[in-house]
Amino acid sequence: MSKSMHLSLKAGERIFINGAVLRVDRKVSIELLNDATFLLENHVLQVEDATTPLRQLYFVAQALLIDPGNSERARAVYRDLHDVTVGTLTQEEIASGLKNAAEMIEAGRTFDALKILRSLFLVESAALTTATDIQPIQAA
């Protein structure tokens, strides 16, 4: 038997459940009584915010939840983008997180993959800032 999930939503907030978009008109608590894939609005990344490799991966992964009808295509894009990102971001914490996120995606645990990717945003930001702060050495 699956466990239930309690969610609280504010007035006007949206939630994506199994590909459907729901908006509530007042503060409400809902209980999901069976397994469902869902994404809260405040965890949805907009396309214009997918500006780094990890955010792009996150954007593609969220498509698996928001648009399950195109999940095979999104999964293929995720795999390709993941392979490129692994070669680009080599920090140990990021590499480990990417491996774990990929395993979650393949196991159908997209929500867990999104949590992993979201937790790496600050690490990625620091890594990208450090990489852009390094000035080339000029020969004398």
Side-chain angles (χ1 to χ4, degrees):
M1 177 170 207
S2 64
K3 61 182 180 179
S4 64
M5 171 75 69
H6 294 270
L7 303 168
S8 295
L9 303 170
K10 296 179 257 184
E13 192 171 11
R14 294 181 304 168
I15 185 170
F16 302 81
I17 302 177
N18 291 343
V21 182
L22 302 144
R23 183 188 336 256
V24 297
D25 64 354
R26 62 187 69 105
K27 183 177 178 182
V28 65
S29 292
I30 60 173
E31 181 179 9
L32 299 176
L33 298 175
N34 63 339
D35 289 332
T37 57
F38 70 92
L39 192 59
L40 297 171
E41 181 175 23
N42 62 344
H43 290 153
V44 173
L45 189 68
Q46 300 301 317
V47 69
E48 60 270 11
D49 296 324
T51 56
T52 68
L54 289 182
R55 289 175 183 270
Q56 291 167 358
L57 267 177
Y58 185 97
F59 185 80
V60 173
Q62 81 182 8
L64 293 168
L65 293 178
I66 292 174
D67 188 10
N70 287 316
S71 65
E72 284 310 310
R73 183 169 173 245
R75 197 176 308 279
V77 171
Y78 184 92
R79 286 183 195 116
D80 292 343
L81 189 55
H82 174 268
D83 292 344
V84 171
T85 304
V86 166
T88 305
L89 299 172
T90 58
Q91 293 79 2
E92 187 175 330
E93 184 177 356
I94 293 175
S96 175
L98 285 171
K99 180 180 182 290
N100 292 337
E103 289 170 355
M104 294 296 109
I105 293 289
E106 293 305 318
R109 296 176 52 192
T110 306
F111 188 78
D112 293 324
L114 290 173
K115 286 182 359 185
I116 292 167
L117 292 170
R118 199 169 41 249
S119 75
L120 295 171
F121 287 170
L122 289 176
V123 178
E124 177 193 40
S125 179
L128 293 175
T129 299
T130 301
T132 58
D133 286 346
I134 297 171
Q135 298 298 318
I137 298 172
Q138 301 226 350

